[in-house]
Amino acid sequence: MIAPTWVQLVFLACGVCFILALKGLSGPKTARNGNLIGAAGAVIAVAVPFFYKPDGVDHLHHVPLILAAIAIGTAGGVYGARKVQMTQMPQMVALFNGVGGGAAALVALLELHEHGDLFDWFPLAATAFTIVVGSVSFAGSVITFAKLQELMTSRPVVFPGLPVIFGGSFIAAAVLSVMLVNQPHLWIGVVLALLGLVVGVLLVMPVGGADVPIVISLLNAFTGLTVAAGGYVLSNTVLLIGGTLVGASGTFLTLLMANAMGRSVANILFGALKGGSTLGGGEASDRPVKSAGPEDVAIMLNYAERIIIVPGYGLAVAQAQHSLRELVDVLSERGAKVDYAIHPVAGRMPGHMNVLLAEAQVPYEQLKEMDEINGDFKDADVVLVVGANDVVNPAAKTTPGAPIYGMPILNADEAKQVVFLKRSMRPGFAGIENELLFEPNTTLLFGDAKDTMSKLLNAVKAL
Amino acid sequence: MIAPTWVQLVFLACGVCFILALKGLSGPKTARNGNLIGAAGAVIAVAVPFFYKPDGVDHLHHVPLILAAIAIGTAGGVYGARKVQMTQMPQMVALFNGVGGGAAALVALLELHEHGDLFDWFPLAATAFTIVVGSVSFAGSVITFAKLQELMTSRPVVFPGLPVIFGGSFIAAAVLSVMLVNQPHLWIGVVLALLGLVVGVLLVMPVGGADVPIVISLLNAFTGLTVAAGGYVLSNTVLLIGGTLVGASGTFLTLLMANAMGRSVANILFGALKGGSTLGGGEASDRPVKSAGPEDVAIMLNYAERIIIVPGYGLAVAQAQHSLRELVDVLSERGAKVDYAIHPVAGRMPGHMNVLLAEAQVPYEQLKEMDEINGDFKDADVVLVVGANDVVNPAAKTTPGAPIYGMPILNADEAKQVVFLKRSMRPGFAGIENELLFEPNTTLLFGDAKDTMSKLLNAVKAL
Amino acid sequence: MSVSVVWLTFFVLSVFVGIEVISKVSSTLHTPLMSGANAIHGIILLGAVLVTGTTDNTFALIVGLIAIVLASVNMVGGFVVTDRMLQMFVRKKPKADAATQTPGDTK
Amino acid sequence: MSVSVVWLTFFVLSVFVGIEVISKVSSTLHTPLMSGANAIHGIILLGAVLVTGTTDNTFALIVGLIAIVLASVNMVGGFVVTDRMLQMFVRKKPKADAATQTPGDTK
Ligand SMILES: NC(=O)c1ccc[n+]([C@@H]2O[C@H](COP(=O)([O-])OP(=O)(O)OC[C@H]3O[C@@H](n4cnc5c(N)ncnc54)[C@H](OP(=O)(O)O)[C@@H]3O)[C@@H](O)[C@H]2O)c1
Ligand SMILES: NC(=O)c1ccc[n+]([C@@H]2O[C@H](COP(=O)([O-])OP(=O)(O)OC[C@H]3O[C@@H](n4cnc5c(N)ncnc54)[C@H](OP(=O)(O)O)[C@@H]3O)[C@@H](O)[C@H]2O)c1
């Protein structure tokens, strides 16, 4: 497809928009504008084919149908994006990523069907890559979605023959790709797509508990690379640049995230296959703990000078962030120094907790990152752990073999008093018991966080 | 020039080396390896043409002569690079940059001579650009060298007709470039080169005192862009990528530097043309000051608990950094807390002071950047200003119109005692008087820094 | 230059841009960044439109339209959801004293 | 794609790489960075070699040889002088206590 020069220049400009978008998205002040620039680039790029004669045809065919399809997709996308709760953001990203991967695979299949016989070996290899990896991304994202939405167990799913089936599908995909390069038949492409789906499912199934969001990020990078390969097949710079940007930055981001959890990506993906260690307990223990009512905790907070809040996923689920913000305001007014300690993987995705607290209008300055505040815990009078668990679990330091072993944690155990707000003795996402719950200076305040938090707020106000 | 695929791949790899080189050079731990990777890429790229058949000719002609020329250039470059003193680094960079720009202009002239009649308008425009800007870079760098090496006055040189001549040459260059695009005659190229030389001289002449190093950085970026344009003319990726990298990063670096001096680049280049403000005094004043001997200063230092050293260009000229390091070691041993406050433009180039102190093996941790230490001056018992002047001159804050007005400075004036080591009452590079010298809590220790520093060291040791 | 080398060069340069441009991101912004990047690869919509609009085979047309729907969900939904997340970061203007704010807006 | 657009794309991407790659540099390293970048544009030597080695005109040959000499000074000198500067940064290994060092090596 040779496009006229002005089209090529517009596409280059759209590629630049994507660069500026990523650049913007990596700074808090510029993030929103960055996203808008990216959207502008994307919209312009998509509008272009309606205004020139692509690939020898005198005009774009099926324009009404295409516009209708875009309208349907847009409506669905906007609806989903508007309705989703902030706690469900990871699932949403996974789903959007999956459909993108699926679309890339379909585009590659079509291109194979239409022009495959004219292709050289290199474009054919890129086509095979796009079909397989796009399907992997699609199927993997769907499973990820199911796990996070609790449509299926979030624990690792492993069965005896899994590594064999996985390896077999992988090899079959490689062999078929080579076949496709030699003879560009559509059926080979279709089989490749099906194999990709199998590989995608098998890739994500054994990934357990705490690690699913890393997989989302990885699949996101995969989709980026498939789009880049698709751009090569279609000779389209904007697809190539946009896809490559996402592929490269996504891969890097995945490494950053895995790093924040103290894990390697290989370990996350294949750890469960080697058996064992990601399979934590999961049932509630009945060892004795110290529990208290909101009034007792209120008194404790009232006399504390230095308070650190550790918010976690449960805070978000309970939608207790607004009452928490209010509680913090009251306590600060009374002279206590209160900060939020944000663990990088608190919540279900890195940076997720910041989004949730930002939603509740917590001032940015009160949010302290882990490295910044970890030294302060030993001076804290009270640490209030609201719906968090794994991110303060000392097993990460003390129990080799625990699924979170090696992950840096917040040193809540060093504080004078620790108060947990949770509903039960059930463990967190990683499925392992938290020794800190049984320590003598730990107090539990049972109940749904939203409910206990407002009781606590009233009790503090009453003092 | 269509090169075989392997050559193109090698060139791409060399381009990647340059990227990695710049990346490495921007971190202290990786800098040296980065530079070596860049050198490796450059050497490989230059070796390539000896191993394939460029441009239809069956082999590279004149190989012995070319190798001889490379040998001569290498010998000269290595000799210069080895012999230069660290204080003269800015001149050396200027000179190397200038010859690079000159080479680019010559290459473009040759290309015009050999293939100009085959060129489209766009390559011709690029050729014109390379010739003009390469010559500007060459001439400008030579003048810069002369100014820094004190072969001519470092004060701004302005004469009445200057803006007119400058503007005229500029317009003439533009007109001739248009002519060249229409009819690729060699003589037009030669005239363009001469005009470029004139523009280069006139561009740097009026830049005065403190600002010359910014001009080096700017000319460096110019040369990068000419090399990029040359790469386009020769259809050579490695020239294009390497040149563009330098052009872009050099421009950015120039802005960073100008920012550190609190000036705009336009103001630096054309400030003097508008007349006036960059023309400081330059003669020594004879207002009364308080001076003292090394013994008095030694006693002062001996009883100080918090000492901050402000090193400047004079320290480097005097080669007193080694005795200074020794003095600091002795004082630290006796329990004082001593740090070096490094102004970003102390010395003659940003970061220059760090190089000089690193040469004297001052430990990295004792070097504090301006923002880091500026709050500490008010607690300092003694500030020892060694061969520095402008970077502690309060005129930057108090005297609008002073050449350094707006530049952030080190708050030495807030300290309890200030001691200056300098030879005379003469001003610094910017040519303006320093009020701080006349303050009641300022003491002057006159003499060459190397000499007074060792006397001071002995006096301290004797206590 | 051969076409494949040209594309390889685009690819290599874009890899560096992609990595360098985000290498300073703070973990606060990981989620919106991932989501924004996710929206960007929705540009596969352009590919889907080009392929669908140049075919005359009914089967290909149907598959192409499905690809368009999927890709638009990715692209449009991605940008909208990212914007929704980022709105929250922007809303917080520096207040004189966080503790004296009115508690309002508790959903 | 047309050749000029290809080169323009290379240029644009390289501009971003160039800026992003150095945007984290601390002012400590400005001087070596400038010097290293200066050495990199010495790659014009490659251009000088290519032009000189494909001409048969004596005048052009002489000019080309001059260009080669100048460019090699830029390239080789640039890398060597940068290395010399950077050696100083590397030499300092963390010492137990800076104050107890032997003063030696005062030139
Ligand atoms: N953010 C990321 O990037 C990322 C990525 C991958 C994995 N993860 C994983 O996600 C986990 C994050 O740790 P976390 O400490 O934030 O969460 P967590 O360990 O999953 O703990 C959440 C706690 O909240 C409690 N909870 C749930 N709903 C509640 C409600 N309505 N009211 C009160 N409490 C409620 C739960 O206890 P009850 O059931 O007893 O109430 C649970 O103990 C880690 O395992 C991390 O590795 C995060
Ligand atoms: N680093 C950069 O990036 C950069 C870029 C552009 C411009 N500049 C300019 O360079 C200047 C740097 O400021 P600075 O404070 O480092 O230097 P400065 O203002 O030039 O002062 C140097 C002082 O050292 C004294 N001195 C010279 N030789 C000496 C010797 N042998 N022994 C003792 N003292 C000696 C001089 O006084 P006596 O003659 O009385 O001895 C002079 O006052 C600023 O104006 C800055 O803007 C720097």
Side-chain angles (χ1 to χ4, degrees), chain B residues 210 213 261 312-314 318 345-350 387-391 407 421-424 426-430 447-449:
Chain B
M261 299 173 64
Y313 179 70
V345 298
R348 287 292 174 265
M349 214 157 46
N389 198 341
D390 298 343
V391 298
M407 172 169 110
L421 269 68
K422 63 202 301 289
R423 294 165 307 179
S424 66
R426 276 195 305 274
F429 198 52
D448 182 85

Side-chain angles (χ1 to χ4, degrees), chain B residues 8-9 12 16 19 23 237, chain C residues 1-2 5 8 12 16 20:
Chain B
Q8 295 172 15
L9 290 177
L12 176 57
V16 170
I19 297 176
K23 198 174 152 79
T237 23
Chain C
M1 282 179 80
S2 75
V5 176
L8 183 64
V12 169
F16 277 102
E20 289 303 324

Side-chain angles (χ1 to χ4, degrees), chain D residues 12-64:
Chain D
V12 169
L13 291 175
S14 300
V15 166
F16 277 102
V17 176
I19 292 177
E20 290 302 324
V21 124
I22 67 143
S23 62
K24 281 150 292 181
V25 68
S26 90
S27 65
T28 321
L29 284 169
H30 280 180
T31 292
L33 177 61
M34 195 205 283
S35 170
N38 181 22
I40 288 176
H41 68 49
I43 191 64
I44 188 65
L45 175 58
L46 169 62
V49 169
L50 283 172
V51 173
T52 312
T54 53
T55 186
D56 282 318
N57 175 306
T58 312
F59 169 74
L61 176 62
I62 294 172
V63 175

Side-chain angles (χ1 to χ4, degrees), chain B residues 284-290 425 433-439:
Chain B
S285 154
D286 49 6
R287 286 160 58 196
V289 294
K290 189 169 83 190
M425 288 304 290
E433 204 160 77
N434 187 349
E435 276 304 317
L436 186 56
L437 296 173
F438 308 101
E439 291 292 319

Side-chain angles (χ1 to χ4, degrees), chain B residues 116-375:
Chain B
D117 38 347
L118 304 173
F119 278 0
D120 217 355
W121 74 270
F122 203 79
L124 281 176
T127 306
F129 177 85
T130 308
I131 294 173
V132 177
V133 181
S135 312
V136 169
S137 191
F138 176 75
S141 298
V142 170
I143 301 294
T144 311
F145 177 83
K147 287 202 175 199
L148 286 172
Q149 195 69 356
E150 301 189 352
L151 304 177
M152 61 176 286
T153 170
S154 73
R155 310 264 311 280
V157 176
V158 265
F159 47 91
L162 195 141
V164 179
I165 306 182
F166 185 79
S169 315
F170 212 83
I171 292 167
V175 171
L176 280 165
S177 299
V178 174
M179 281 176 63
L180 187 78
V181 168
N182 287 313
Q183 20 177 302
H185 291 316
L186 183 61
W187 70 265
I188 306 185
V190 173
V191 177
L192 272 176
L194 296 177
L195 274 175
L197 294 178
V198 173
V199 172
V201 172
L202 296 183
L203 184 72
V204 180
M205 281 304 227
V207 175
D211 302 328
V212 170
I214 298 289
V215 176
I216 301 182
S217 178
L218 192 68
L219 293 176
N220 191 27
F222 278 8
T223 309
L225 290 177
T226 59
V227 172
Y232 173 68
V233 173
L234 297 172
S235 296
N236 188 308
T237 23
V238 68
L239 292 191
L240 182 89
I241 294 180
T244 308
L245 287 174
V246 177
S249 63
T251 308
F252 192 74
L253 192 59
T254 309
L255 296 176
L256 284 181
M257 287 183 187
N259 216 23
M261 299 173 64
R263 309 278 303 274
S264 81
V265 175
N267 180 289
I268 287 171
L269 287 181
F270 304 114
L273 290 185
K274 295 202 204 97
S277 78
T278 18
L279 301 163
E283 297 95 42
S285 154
D286 49 6
R287 286 160 58 196
V289 294
K290 189 169 83 190
S291 78
E295 294 74 20
D296 309 314
V297 177
I299 291 171
M300 205 188 281
L301 288 174
N302 203 37
Y303 291 107
E305 284 172 10
R306 180 79 175 106
I307 302 172
I308 298 179
I309 314 277
V310 177
Y313 179 70
L315 170 80
V317 185
Q319 291 289 327
Q321 61 267 46
H322 302 281
S323 339
L324 174 62
R325 215 259 345 266
E326 236 184 297
L327 176 69
V328 170
D329 289 349
V330 172
L331 292 171
S332 313
E333 237 167 66
R334 297 198 181 160
K337 177 157 164 41
V338 192
D339 285 312
Y340 297 80
I342 311 291
H343 191 281
V345 298
R348 287 292 174 265
M349 214 157 46
H352 194 189
M353 210 26 90
N354 300 67
V355 175
L356 297 170
L357 293 175
E359 191 191 16
Q361 300 191 288
V362 171
Y364 202 77
E365 311 77 55
Q366 290 179 15
L367 304 181
K368 305 285 186 211
E369 297 197 4
M370 180 171 60
D371 294 337
E372 206 179 329
I373 201 157
N374 241 349

Side-chain angles (χ1 to χ4, degrees), chain A residues 210-214 261 311-314 317-318 344-350 352 387-391 404 407 421-430 447-450:
Chain A
D211 302 328
V212 171
I214 299 289
M261 300 173 63
Y313 180 70
V317 184
V345 298
R348 287 290 174 268
M349 213 154 52
H352 194 189
N389 196 342
D390 297 344
V391 298
I404 60 169
M407 173 169 110
L421 269 67
K422 62 200 305 285
R423 293 164 308 177
S424 65
M425 288 303 291
R426 278 194 305 272
F429 199 52
D448 181 84
K450 173 140 200 166

